[in-house]
């Protein structure tokens, strides 16, 4: 696979994952309970993982 194609696929995957996590936080925000809190914390952890993988490239 070409480097440019691989880069485009990585950016697309990261964008989709980040959008899904933000959507999960917004949906879980409307309800109160431990389940909603757990969903939001997992989504936050995934967002931090996406950010770390993005920043690792620019060290």
């Amino acid at each position: 696979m070409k480097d440019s194609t691989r880069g485009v696929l990585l950016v697309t995957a990261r964008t989709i994952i980040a959008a899904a996590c933000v959507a999960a936080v917004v949906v879980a925000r409307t309800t109160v309970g431990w389940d909603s809190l757990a969903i939001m914390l997992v989504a936050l952890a995934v967002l931090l993982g996406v950010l770390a993988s993005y920043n690792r490239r620019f060290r």
Side-chain angles (χ1 to χ4, degrees):
M1 183 180 324
K2 291 183 182 179
D3 287 337
S4 61
T5 305
R6 183 176 184 271
V8 169
L9 288 176
L10 280 174
V11 168
T12 303
R14 287 179 183 148
T15 303
I16 291 171
I17 292 169
C21 288
V22 170
V25 169
V26 169
V27 169
R29 179 186 58 85
T30 59
T31 58
V32 176
W34 291 107
D35 296 336
S36 299
L37 178 63
I39 291 169
M40 289 188 282
L41 288 175
V42 168
L44 177 62
V46 172
L47 281 172
L48 288 174
V50 169
L51 180 64
S53 72
Y54 174 78
N55 284 336
R56 182 178 298 140
R57 193 172 131 199
F58 296 107
R59 278 190 175 182

